[in-house]
Amino acid sequence: MKNDILMLHLLKHPLLTHKLSILRRKETPAKEFRETLEEISALMAFEITRDLPVKDVTIETPMGICHTQELEMGVILIPILRAGLGMVGGISNLIPSASVGHIGMYRDHDTLEPKTYYSKFPNNMADAVVMVLDPMLATGGSSSAAIQFVKDQGAKSIKLVCIIGAPEGVSRIMKDHPDIQIYLAGMDEKLNDIGYIMPGLGDAGDRLFGTN
Ligand code: PRP
Ligand code: URA
């Protein structure tokens, strides 16, 4: 139980809660949904980067020598298509040096099993902090498969960053990948009988891109 608590970071902040309500509201149009998802991801970036390793450096300011620190490891963002794409801008604005890989996945409507249709990764996965991005952690099938993909590419330091999670999805990741840190801005009640998070926000990919 102690390890479970350490793995799950449920971020609490009035701005996050407020912006999450905008995402959840059914009247929110795609443009505002996109902008708000990016803002929430940027707000989360502060916490998800809290333990990034740093190295000592000596630099020169206009006034003299300064002993300070810089990020030691590269950061790689891996959005799960489609909805994870909406989280890239907010985080990469704050970490402009981050590379971006992609995993294309969709859930089979009947089995809820993830189907992978695309993947492309940077080649330094083993030496970077890898952040898998997907707004929705429902059954956990997509995120678990994506994490396995990046592990197979050599990634050793991996974080899963989602916006809303269901207890079922969190348990699945903890069971399949007990070495992974999970970050959420909201933890909802349950899944409904077709695998959607309740109350959730609906289909994140459709709301982001205005499809249905
Ligand atoms: C959604 C969401 C996650 C997945 C979550 O993607 O963005 O990737 O479902 O569900 P899970 O935890 O049960 O696997 P979807 O399959 O709708 O694809 P899309 O983003 O292309 O719409
Ligand atoms: N995927 C979504 O986009 N929303 C859910 O509630 C569950 C899976």
Side-chain angles (χ1 to χ4, degrees), residues 132-154:
V132 175
L133 312 178
D134 194 327
M136 308 307 278
L137 180 61
T139 66
S142 304
S143 290
S144 179
I147 291 166
Q148 191 56 53
F149 249 98
V150 302
K151 283 183 173 174
D152 293 344
Q153 297 294 314

Side-chain angles (χ1 to χ4, degrees), residues 107 136 138 195-197 202-205:
R107 284 198 315 181
M136 308 307 278
Y196 276 78
I197 299 176
D203 187 304

Side-chain angles (χ1 to χ4, degrees), residues 80-84 105-109 112 114 117 134-143 169 191 195-196 203-206:
I80 303 179
L81 309 184
R82 294 174 297 161
M105 270 181 191
Y106 69 92
R107 284 198 315 181
D108 180 281
H109 281 295
L112 299 184
Y117 56 85
D134 194 327
M136 308 307 278
L137 180 61
T139 66
S142 304
S143 290
L191 297 179
Y196 276 78
D203 187 304
D206 284 346

Side-chain angles (χ1 to χ4, degrees), residues 3-187:
N3 281 345
D4 288 359
I5 291 166
L6 291 177
M7 279 179 67
L8 178 61
H9 304 263
L10 183 56
L11 309 187
K12 286 273 165 221
H13 190 285
L15 270 179
L16 274 179
T17 311
H18 176 81
K19 289 178 186 293
L20 200 45
S21 302
I22 296 174
L23 288 189
R24 291 179 185 280
R25 199 182 284 277
K26 68 178 182 188
E27 295 86 4
T28 301
K31 178 174 186 288
E32 191 179 4
F33 190 94
R34 267 195 300 279
E35 291 166 354
T36 307
L37 180 56
E38 185 167 323
E39 288 165 3
I40 291 180
S41 307
L43 288 171
M44 291 179 78
F46 197 73
E47 268 315 307
I48 64 184
T49 55
R50 185 177 284 284
D51 62 352
L52 288 188
V54 289
K55 61 179 180 211
D56 294 333
V57 292
T58 302
I59 59 167
E60 235 182 299
T61 77
M63 309 305 289
I65 298 296
C66 173
H67 303 289
T68 179
Q69 293 180 322
E70 289 178 347
L71 292 181
E72 185 172 33
M73 291 173 79
V75 173
I76 297 178
L77 307 179
I78 309 277
I80 303 179
L81 309 184
R82 294 174 297 161
L85 284 175
M87 300 175 67
V88 172
I91 301 175
S92 62
N93 279 345
L94 296 175
I95 316 174
S97 58
S99 317
V100 182
H102 296 86
I103 299 180
M105 270 181 191
Y106 69 92
R107 284 198 315 181
D108 180 281
H109 281 295
D110 297 321
T111 64
L112 299 184
E113 287 300 315
K115 305 283 180 203
T116 305
Y117 56 85
Y118 182 77
S119 67
K120 176 87 180 172
F121 301 105
N123 56 14
N124 56 333
M125 300 280 278
D127 307 318
V129 177
V130 176
M131 300 182 182
V132 175
L133 312 178
D134 194 327
M136 308 307 278
L137 180 61
T139 66
S142 304
S143 290
S144 179
I147 291 166
Q148 191 56 53
F149 249 98
V150 302
K151 283 183 173 174
D152 293 344
Q153 297 294 314
K156 295 185 186 69
S157 173
I158 306 168
K159 293 168 183 279
L160 174 63
V161 187
C162 301
I163 307 292
I164 300 180
E168 294 88 335
V170 171
S171 301
R172 169 85 184 261
I173 300 300
M174 286 177 168
K175 176 171 155 289
D176 293 356
H177 302 287
D179 50 329
I180 298 302
Q181 304 276 317
I182 307 167
Y183 296 82
L184 294 175
M187 173 75 125

